[in-house]
Every structure is written in C-alpha cells, then in structure tokens.
Amino acid sequence: MPISQIEQLLKDALELNELYVKGEGSHFQVIAVSAQFDGASRVKKQQMVYAPLSALIADGTVHALSIKAFTPEEWQRERKFLMPE
C-alpha cells in the first residue's frame, strides 16, 4: 500500500496541521497533529486517526499501525524527542 494513499485518507477525514507517515508493506507509523484533538484523551485521539483506516485494517491491507496523535501545543513539546534533527 502506498504511503500517499494513507496520507490522503487521513487528510480527507481529519483537519490536520501536520502529518507524517512511514512504513512499508503492511506496517505503518503515523504521527498526526491537529487542533481537533484538543481535549481528547490519548485513546480518543488514536481512535480518530484509526477510524479512516479501519477498512484497510479490516481487510488486512494494513496489518500493523502505530499512531501518535498530538495537538499543535503537544507537538511543539514532543517533536524534539520523536524527530531529532
């Protein structure tokens, strides 16, 4: 599955400030940043990212998915740990 397809599904479903998708085959890692996550628990944020990809997960196209979801403020603090220069 092309990463661009996953990116497009997420961009169409969510109002994202930033999106990073890595992976190959059927294993992917997603970092999503959106103000829409404000006030949501960590689990709820992950569910919001998971939902647009649920059909791909159900049919096995995506086998493993790691999701990290942040508000823009959280991302300001976390990005230095997750994306070292």
Side-chain angles (χ1 to χ4, degrees):
M1 152 141 294
I3 288 174
S4 60
Q5 189 176 352
I6 292 174
E7 289 173 337
Q8 195 59 54
L9 285 168
L10 292 172
K11 287 176 182 177
D12 290 346
L14 301 167
E15 297 172 21
L16 298 169
N17 297 60
E18 296 182 54
L19 176 64
Y20 304 94
V21 180
K22 293 191 314 184
E24 59 182 294
S26 62
H27 296 73
F28 298 93
Q29 301 85 40
V30 173
I31 296 175
V33 181
S34 175
Q36 148 178 39
F37 298 145
D38 192 37
S41 69
R42 184 176 49 153
V43 171
K44 182 65 177 164
K45 292 176 195 174
Q46 290 177 345
Q47 290 171 336
M48 292 168 73
V49 174
Y50 182 95
L53 305 175
S54 61
L56 297 174
I57 295 164
D59 74 9
T61 302
V62 173
H63 175 71
L65 180 64
S66 166
I67 298 171
K68 291 183 172 52
F70 303 99
T71 65
E73 294 78 20
E74 291 168 337
W75 182 235
Q76 255 334 83
R77 292 190 304 267
E78 296 294 324
R79 75 179 300 149
K80 61 182 168 252
F81 297 111
L82 295 173
M83 300 183 77
E85 296 178 15

